[in-house]
């Protein structure tokens, strides 16, 4: 189940990276996406506490990740 969630989060990250014209790894490393999947934060504040997340990532890609996480609840 975690791997399926990681794939959905990666897809959301990849779409956002493409929209912004950024390399997906620059937007958020796979290891950080994995940490997000494991911790499954429910809001931006919890997302900001995930190890490896920067404030700008919460703003730029956070909404897309939180949407994926909300759909699995």
């Amino acid at each position: 189940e975690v791997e399926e969630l990681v794939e959905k989060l990666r897809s959301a990250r990849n779409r956002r990276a493409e929209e912004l014209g950024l390399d997906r790894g620059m937007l958020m490393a796979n290891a950080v996406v994995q940490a997000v999947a494991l911790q499954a934060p429910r809001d931006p504040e919890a997302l900001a506490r995930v190890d490896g997340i920067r404030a700008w990532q919460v703003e730029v890609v956070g909404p897309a990740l939180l949407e994926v996480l909300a759909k699995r609840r």
Side-chain angles (χ1 to χ4, degrees), residues 9-56:
L9 290 169
R10 279 186 187 146
S11 292
R13 178 220 37 205
N14 295 348
R15 281 192 304 275
R16 193 69 182 109
E18 191 173 315
E19 289 170 4
L20 296 168
L22 294 174
D23 178 82
R24 36 179 98 152
M26 169 137 176
L27 183 56
M28 183 173 287
N30 284 335
V32 178
V33 174
Q34 177 90 23
V36 171
L38 292 172
Q39 294 183 36
R42 292 180 176 256
D43 54 50
E45 293 78 22
L47 181 61
R49 290 191 297 271
V50 173
D51 209 25
I53 292 269
R54 305 286 179 247
W56 68 268

